[in-house]
Amino acid sequence: MKIITIVALAGALLAGCAHSAKYHLASGDADSIRSLERIYLDIAPLENGPLSVEIYPEPWRYLSVSSNVAAAQYSAPPPPPGTSAGQAAAAGVAGGLIGTLIASEMAKGQAQSAAQKPAEPLVEALMGRAIERDVREALVDGMLTSDFAASNTLEYAPLPDDGAPQLVLQPSIKLTNGLNVLKFNINAELHAGGKQPLYRNSIEYWSAGTGNSDKQENLYYWRAADLEAFYGELQQAIAHTASYLAQSLDGSLPAAEEKQATHRIAGNDGWVMMRGNLLQSTDEYTVLRDLRGNIKIISGTLVL
């Protein structure tokens, strides 16, 4: 029984580490959505507060702390009397897995804190503004004025007690590790009484970048003129993501290219490489459906 508990705990930790709403598989039932008489819109609080810094996987940063924490986790008491060799081995494997997972998560947390520190002046400036309200109002306005709302009754109001269909949007704002690219993401789910949502997707916008390589210069760029550049880019991000979300719900997205390909997109800070199905390309931005079906709106020109 103890071995089963350990293995189950390891599985739970693994699931917790791997799960992220941002990377869920996109899905939707257009016919069922069209049949709904009324949909209530709910905007959740910003996922990570006013702003979080997105770090890229850099395992060498984690090596030292991981080995120390893992060593502590491997120091387990001997198995109880009567435990067979096979049971003891299974428990050892599960314990090692738990140790590795805990070490990895602790190390990532430390790296995340280190990445976040240079952006703290910007975070503090945003905390002095009503950014939650600004994002919520912009999203609500974008959704209620969309073609989807024109053909479907979409209301921003408290959900009635009868459990009416509800479209829940979870926004988040991020800067890349260099503080040069702003990313705005909406995780969207439409629930209508069943166990599985009728619709789920992640729509993410990437700004073109500041063109600077120095973090302090980028911090000054976003904070200058009372956050004018930051709010200007955020408004563009919300408008684009809300528009493509509405089109996705309505089933009116541009037809995606059938063949998946690796697309190269030129922005202010060099190239962005992303694999997926091309939805749309203009001189200003490129829209892809990634390998999980989520929508990426990347500022920059598609290079053929």
Side-chain angles (χ1 to χ4, degrees), residues 65-85:
V65 65
S66 293
S67 60
N68 292 337
V69 178
Q73 292 297 320
Y74 293 148
S75 301
T83 303
S84 69

Side-chain angles (χ1 to χ4, degrees), residues 46 125-137 231:
L46 287 167
L126 291 171
M127 291 179 69
R129 306 278 290 261
I131 191 166
E132 290 272 6
R133 183 202 65 195
D134 296 339
V135 171
R136 182 177 65 250
E137 289 183 353
Y231 267 91

Side-chain angles (χ1 to χ4, degrees), residues 22-291:
K22 180 179 176 181
Y23 299 111
H24 59 224
L25 286 171
S27 63
D29 186 341
D31 291 336
S32 296
I33 294 172
R34 293 190 189 99
S35 69
L36 299 176
E37 294 182 0
R38 190 180 307 269
I39 300 172
Y40 288 84
L41 178 64
D42 180 36
I43 312 294
L46 287 167
E47 185 176 9
N48 298 307
L51 175 76
S52 63
V53 175
E54 181 181 64
I55 59 172
Y56 298 105
E58 296 175 312
W60 55 89
R61 285 188 176 185
Y62 313 149
L63 184 59
S64 177
V65 65
S66 293
S67 60
N68 292 337
V69 178
Q73 292 297 320
Y74 293 148
S75 301
T83 303
S84 69
Q87 289 174 326
V93 169
L97 174 60
I98 293 173
T100 302
L101 292 172
I102 292 174
S104 175
E105 288 306 296
M106 290 181 65
K108 287 179 182 177
Q110 291 183 12
Q112 180 67 62
S113 297
Q116 189 79 9
K117 195 169 185 179
E120 285 306 313
L122 177 57
V123 174
E124 291 174 4
L126 291 171
M127 291 179 69
R129 306 278 290 261
I131 191 166
E132 290 272 6
R133 183 202 65 195
D134 296 339
V135 171
R136 182 177 65 250
E137 289 183 353
L139 272 178
V140 170
D141 182 64
M143 293 303 298
L144 295 184
T145 58
S146 66
D147 289 342
F148 175 72
S151 55
N152 299 269
T153 304
L154 186 61
E155 292 189 11
Y156 182 57
L159 186 67
D161 293 336
D162 61 2
Q166 184 178 36
L167 176 62
V168 181
L169 307 184
Q170 172 75 73
S172 66
I173 307 171
K174 294 183 179 181
L175 287 180
T176 51
N177 196 18
L179 308 186
N180 55 324
V181 175
L182 184 146
K183 295 184 178 182
F184 179 76
N185 184 82
I186 302 174
N187 288 320
E189 289 195 357
L190 174 58
H191 296 270
K195 290 184 178 180
Q196 296 298 321
L198 289 182
Y199 174 89
R200 65 186 317 199
N201 210 331
S202 173
I203 300 91
E204 187 169 68
Y205 172 93
W206 297 17
S207 75
T210 64
N212 300 322
S213 58
D214 182 77
K215 289 186 178 182
Q216 288 302 314
E217 289 182 3
N218 291 328
L219 189 62
Y220 176 79
Y221 173 87
W222 295 117
R223 293 182 66 193
D226 196 25
L227 303 174
E228 181 179 356
F230 182 88
Y231 267 91
E233 195 65 66
L234 181 60
Q235 288 171 1
Q236 289 289 323
I238 294 173
H240 279 82
T241 50
S243 174
Y244 278 95
L245 170 61
Q247 292 177 60
S248 177
L249 284 162
D250 203 33
S252 59
L253 282 169
E257 290 186 354
E258 292 186 9
K259 185 179 179 181
Q260 290 181 345
T262 300
H263 301 278
R264 186 168 64 166
I265 303 156
N268 291 351
D269 297 323
W271 309 103
V272 172
M273 305 289 286
M274 184 168 293
R275 189 163 182 80
N277 303 83
L278 182 65
L279 283 172
Q280 194 170 13
S281 176
T282 70
D283 291 338
E284 296 181 355
Y285 58 89
T286 302
V287 185
L288 305 172
R289 192 188 298 278
D290 70 12
L291 300 182

